[in-house]
Amino acid sequence: TGFPLVDAAMAQLWATGWMPNYMRHVVAGFLVEFLNLDWRHGLRWFDYTLVDADTAINAYMWQNGGHSGMDQWNFVMHPVFAAKSCDPEGDYVRRWLPQLAALPVEYIHCPWEAPFALRAAAGVVLGGNYPKRILDDLEAARRASHAAVMAVRRGPA
């Protein structure tokens, strides 16, 4: 995705079959709230990869994250702000994304903001050994996703 906390969580999931609950929320929120993906895609992937997958709980949580469950989430976890809160020194990101390990703490969660020379010295190549961000404007993506949810709730015109 180009957002280190999301990518680190997905790398951990793929490598171990598990990720912490907080990271599950970050990833789910990113997929649903920013990428506007159908929550069922996340449900299927998590069900396939989690070693502790529980079909009922997994479906229930993804429905809630996707604004279609009985207890819909009323929060959005911004992938950079959440990262700076839960991984302030970048240790989690460095563990699961070693290609970013040499970045200083102020850029570990937002490598696109690092000056080119600093990224080069750290061996980080956006679009090379680490992807460019899938979204440049998170707030616009969030607004578009919210508008899509509200349109569904309003029903046919």
Side-chain angles (χ1 to χ4, degrees):
T1 66
F3 290 89
L5 188 65
V6 175
D7 296 339
M10 294 303 284
Q12 180 184 19
L13 176 60
W14 186 245
T16 69
W18 185 84
M19 73 169 73
N21 188 56
Y22 188 83
M23 299 307 171
R24 295 177 194 204
H25 280 77
V26 169
V27 168
F30 186 78
L31 295 177
V32 171
E33 299 292 344
F34 294 102
L35 295 183
N36 198 24
L37 292 176
D38 187 312
W39 61 268
R40 292 172 292 189
H41 294 296
L43 166 69
R44 285 189 291 271
W45 184 251
F46 273 47
D47 203 47
Y48 174 73
T49 54
L50 284 171
V51 295
D52 65 344
D54 178 297
T55 302
I57 292 171
N58 195 27
Y60 180 74
M61 294 306 290
W62 276 98
Q63 284 176 332
N64 292 335
H67 304 288
S68 60
M70 296 297 291
D71 187 25
Q72 298 174 25
W73 298 349
N74 291 315
F75 57 87
V76 176
M77 299 178 94
H78 188 284
V80 177
F81 301 153
K84 289 179 179 182
S85 172
C86 74
D87 186 30
E89 299 303 315
D91 297 334
Y92 180 80
V93 166
R94 284 185 179 88
R95 176 175 180 190
W96 295 106
L97 300 176
Q99 66 271 39
L100 300 182
L103 284 174
V105 68
E106 59 268 26
Y107 298 112
I108 192 69
H109 298 299
C110 49
W112 57 89
E113 291 181 358
F116 177 82
L118 192 147
R119 284 196 317 265
V124 176
V125 180
L126 299 180
N129 65 348
Y130 187 70
K132 292 181 180 179
R133 290 180 293 167
I134 195 168
L135 295 170
D136 287 328
D137 189 342
L138 285 172
E139 192 53 39
R142 171 72 184 99
R143 283 192 308 271
S145 177
H146 179 74
V149 168
M150 296 313 292
V152 169
R153 288 184 179 171
R154 280 191 298 275

